[in-house]
Amino acid sequence: MSKEALLSLDGISVRFGAGRKSFRAVRGVSFELYAGETLSLVGESGSGKTTIGRAIMRVHPLSAGEIRYRGQRISGAVNARSERLLRQKIQMIFQDPMASLNERAKIDYIVSEGLYNFKLFKNEAERLAKVEKALLEVGLLPEFASRFPHEFSGGQRQRIGIARALVMEPEILIADEPISALDVSIRAQVINLLNQLKRDRGLSYLFIAHDLSVVRFISDRIAVIHRGRIVELAASEELFLRPLHPYTKALLSAVPIPDPEAEQKKKLVIYDPSIHDYGREEPIWAEAAPGHYLLGSPGELAAWSS
Amino acid sequence: MSTTTKAGPLRHALTLNESACVKGDTLLEATDVVIRFNLRGKTLTAVRSASLALKAGETLAVVGESGSGKSVFAKSFLGMLDKNGRVASGSIRYRGAELSSLKGEREWLSVRGSRIAMVFQDPMTALNPLKTVGEQIREAAALHRGLDKEHSRLLALDMLARVGIGEPERRYGQYPHEFSGGMRQRAVIAAAIACGPEILICDEPTTALDVTIQAQILELIKSLQRDLGMAVLFITHDLGVVAKMADRIAVMYAGQVVEEGLSAEIFYDPRHPYTWALLASLPQLGVKGEELFAIKGTPPSLFKEIKGDAFAARNPLALKVDFEHEPPFFSVSPTHRAKTWLLDPRAPAQEAPDTVRRLRARIAEAGKAAGLREPNAPTAVAKADGAKKRKAKKAKEQADE
């Protein structure tokens, strides 16, 4: 993996509401997404993982920090050219394949909408060729272009969502729980498709999920988020084999194991945030082992790492 | 069905065999149930002659994809099919009484809630947003147990505490929106068990929840089942989550039970190609960098008559006979049976895919390193399993020659 940072997040915070009622959904999050890797954000609902994805897409303004794409700032006020570039190069796939496709539009239009907006084709023949290529790439037949979303199954709809992103020739795909709404057998098809596209196209993924078994299979690195903060970030296997933060341990212990005997023996770890005394000692973001980052007070870091 | 029962009080709509049930006695037995729906002039057969037996005190998991008919099947035990649906044939017997002949809400109420209770997938839609959580649990208890206000309130408080909701007195007066998703599901479970049911049907109770909360809810259902001696029918699409819960597992596909057996038999010695496929597609068993096993295609349309084995079209190992004739059940052990021609003595020996056979080793590998669990010692089941596999392999080699 080349260590070229495509996307860097530098201490970003997102605040919703104003004044006394304001709520910081994301608090000082920093990480880098390298070219060709899959970085997963995992955490429970309300942890801010989706908000981070949306902040990158400029849906939510930042209250602090900065996001850069290939060294170029893309957060806050940016000129029209960078915004255009970003809109094309970073694409998103959503959780619910039914809600994210326009019911009244044919697949042909859904997939080409981005092309129309960006005038990415010279003539009609080129547009059709692009749509056809995108559909074939996700394993759908080109003749599906004249159908409507309701004519497809959940897995096929998710493929249409992926085709719509691919047609823009993005570098980064932000996938927000793309498989949570799918059945087990369909889930495997979509995971394979995402992996294959990553290989063939050299895509980078920011994969947002709460299902750790899928995340382990698909990611190169994993960032664990709890209440708007990344508490641990490490290479995928490293995190599963040597989890250091108590929250990560709790999360891993909750992953169901498809083996009755192992499952009976498993002990569920429950995370109690009150073990931290951050009023006295501010937590710091430190490298506990090469490439393995951890959030904790200096005392905790020493205790967890040993 | 008699006219006298209609006017009678709730309890007497059914003649139940009230002899005490010991663990292991059959409580609920569904035999050859066919459920049909009328949809826009067409008939959809959601459940195609499925049979299940639930024994007292056990947990039976029903696993299948969406559209396999698992929820519809379970709903028919409670008379909760949508208006356009009906049990077309077959029998559903609870303690010796025929449930499928019950008519109307009033008759069903003698079973639903008090005898057989249900927990749904989405706790937000199962609770009334305009009523306090405590009141909803109290109502259920008052209706089904005939308790007065004070007693049912005490019972509801007890139930809240029982399902692990802290400060029950304060929580009693709160509304569903003040509860988190996991807490709401606990409240729904409290309402279900407040009526003291013998059978608790859980329809994907954790699908809408986070992993950590999911694990806690599963533990809760398990411990309640132990303490109250209920039988639990657990419906899910994820084989991964039932390993902990289930004593027995029934796998459903296209409206039929295709394999059932003890939990260990299904995980360590599955026989139906669909069960193999379900297990093999679990990401927990995937090897990084390799393709994850995926079942090709989609389930068959249930509007049409299905010829032969419903899974044949998606099964790369399908035999010719699978497309022609529907397979019967073949017994593997007294507790384990599967509906596949592969078990017919005339069929060529066919082993489960590699991933499935090495399930135990894979899991141990992944888990050992995490330091969260002890590595598994080989057990009697595993050894017997191995012997069987070797035998099958030998047979196959001979067949190949």
Side-chain angles (χ1 to χ4, degrees), chain A residues 91 109-121 164 167-168:
Chain A
Q91 291 290 322
Y109 178 77
I110 292 176
V111 176
S112 1
E113 188 163 15
L115 298 176
Y116 282 126
N117 290 344
F118 283 79
K119 312 245 170 0
L120 289 177
F121 54 94
R164 164 175 69 179
V167 81
M168 302 301 288

Side-chain angles (χ1 to χ4, degrees), chain A residues 45 183-184 189 192 210 219 259, chain B residues 66 210-211 268 288 292 295:
Chain A
S45 43
D183 254 326
V184 197
Q189 293 175 8
N192 284 342
H210 69 265
S219 343
D259 178 340
Chain B
S66 40
D210 276 324
V211 218
Y268 303 142
K288 234 186 193 157
L292 192 59
I295 308 175

Side-chain angles (χ1 to χ4, degrees), chain A residues 43-46 49 153 156 177 180-193 195-196 199 210-222 235-237 239-243 247-271, chain B residues 64-67 70 207 209-216 218-219 222 237-241 243-246 263-264 267-268 274 278-279 281-299 314 359-360 363-367 369-377 379 381:
Chain A
E44 53 197 31
S45 43
K49 53 191 194 300
S153 68
Q156 286 176 319
E177 305 256 14
S180 309
L182 304 177
D183 254 326
V184 197
S185 62
I186 311 294
R187 195 163 73 182
Q189 293 175 8
V190 174
I191 293 174
N192 284 342
L193 174 66
N195 269 339
Q196 178 213 328
R199 263 194 324 269
H210 69 265
D211 184 345
L212 276 156
S213 49
V214 172
V215 163
R216 180 181 195 174
F217 182 74
I218 202 170
S219 343
D220 299 306
R221 290 191 303 149
I222 299 175
S236 168
E237 283 308 298
L239 189 89
F240 270 84
L241 302 183
R242 274 175 298 281
Y247 178 66
T248 312
K249 287 182 181 167
L251 211 54
L252 292 183
S253 83
V255 180
I257 317 167
D259 178 340
E261 271 179 39
E263 186 71 36
Q264 301 285 349
K265 282 186 204 147
K266 192 179 79 174
K267 194 92 190 74
L268 189 63
V269 182
I270 292 177
Y271 173 60
Chain B
E65 288 176 74
S66 40
K70 54 192 193 304
T207 309
L209 305 173
D210 276 324
V211 218
T212 38
I213 310 297
Q214 162 175 299
Q216 290 168 23
L218 292 179
E219 293 246 306
K222 208 172 148 72
H237 69 271
D238 194 348
L239 257 176
V241 307
K244 182 179 207 124
M245 298 290 298
S263 179
F267 278 102
Y268 303 142
Y274 181 63
L278 273 187
L279 281 169
S281 60
L282 288 173
Q284 287 98 320
L285 296 179
V287 175
K288 234 186 193 157
E290 285 176 22
E291 288 260 290
L292 192 59
F293 180 86
I295 308 175
K296 306 276 179 298
T298 44
R314 304 173 76 187
L359 177 135
R360 191 185 284 261
I363 300 285
E365 223 170 87
L372 289 166
R373 330 176 254 278
E374 293 292 304
N376 281 313
T379 57
V381 183

Side-chain angles (χ1 to χ4, degrees), chain B residues 25-240:
Chain B
D25 288 359
T26 300
L27 266 185
L28 183 78
E29 191 166 24
T31 320
D32 300 327
V33 174
V34 176
I35 299 173
R36 294 212 162 93
F37 287 89
N38 294 326
L39 282 171
R40 282 170 257 120
K42 287 197 281 185
T43 309
L44 179 136
T45 314
V47 175
R48 305 184 300 132
S49 189
S51 305
L52 266 188
L54 183 66
K55 302 194 185 83
E58 77 166 349
T59 302
L60 171 65
V62 179
V63 184
E65 288 176 74
S66 40
S68 63
K70 54 192 193 304
S71 289
V72 168
F73 195 24
K75 279 184 181 168
S76 72
F77 305 158
L78 285 167
M80 283 174 62
L81 294 178
D82 289 341
K83 283 237 164 57
N84 58 347
R86 63 187 192 279
V87 177
S89 68
S91 86
I92 303 166
R93 299 179 82 81
Y94 165 69
R95 279 180 173 271
E98 182 60 48
L99 293 186
S100 54
S101 64
L102 288 179
K103 293 250 163 24
E105 288 294 291
R106 204 182 160 76
E107 288 186 28
W108 269 109
L109 274 177
S110 61
V111 177
R112 188 194 302 153
S114 55
R115 298 303 187 126
I116 308 177
M118 190 153 176
V119 174
F120 297 91
Q121 175 173 348
D122 185 354
M124 196 62 221
T125 47
L127 292 169
N128 182 342
L130 300 177
K131 279 188 171 164
T132 65
V133 169
E135 194 57 21
Q136 296 183 51
I137 301 171
R138 192 198 66 73
E139 263 181 0
L143 174 69
H144 289 290
R145 295 196 148 176
L147 296 174
D148 61 36
K149 198 153 191 183
E150 191 47 33
H151 279 99
S152 53
R153 200 183 80 88
L154 289 175
L155 182 77
L157 285 171
D158 179 40
M159 287 302 146
L160 281 173
R162 217 169 180 150
V163 296
I165 294 179
E167 302 176 73
E169 288 279 358
R170 188 172 67 85
R171 292 300 220 164
Y172 186 96
Q174 286 186 330
Y175 289 89
H177 74 266
E178 298 174 83
F179 279 53
S180 68
M183 283 296 158
R184 269 181 224 146
Q185 195 59 294
R186 283 174 195 266
V188 173
I189 294 173
I193 62 167
C195 316
E198 267 186 322
I199 299 175
L200 184 67
I201 299 178
C202 302
D203 189 359
E204 307 251 11
T206 59
T207 309
L209 305 173
D210 276 324
V211 218
T212 38
I213 310 297
Q214 162 175 299
Q216 290 168 23
I217 296 288
L218 292 179
E219 293 246 306
L220 172 69
I221 295 175
K222 208 172 148 72
S223 73
L224 285 174
Q225 186 221 14
R226 238 185 348 247
D227 298 349
L228 305 174
M230 292 180 298
V232 174
L233 187 69
F234 194 90
I235 301 167
T236 177
H237 69 271
D238 194 348
L239 257 176

Side-chain angles (χ1 to χ4, degrees), chain A residues 144-201:
Chain A
F144 288 177
S146 58
R147 296 196 192 164
F148 288 95
H150 71 88
E151 296 176 68
F152 294 93
S153 68
Q156 286 176 319
R157 275 183 222 139
Q158 198 55 289
R159 287 165 191 266
I160 295 166
I162 298 172
R164 164 175 69 179
L166 284 183
V167 81
M168 302 301 288
E169 297 179 0
E171 279 189 312
I172 300 171
L173 273 187
I174 297 177
D176 191 354
E177 305 256 14
I179 42 178
S180 309
L182 304 177
D183 254 326
V184 197
S185 62
I186 311 294
R187 195 163 73 182
Q189 293 175 8
V190 174
I191 293 174
N192 284 342
L193 174 66
L194 290 174
N195 269 339
Q196 178 213 328
L197 290 171
K198 177 180 159 190
R199 263 194 324 269
D200 298 352
R201 286 235 186 173

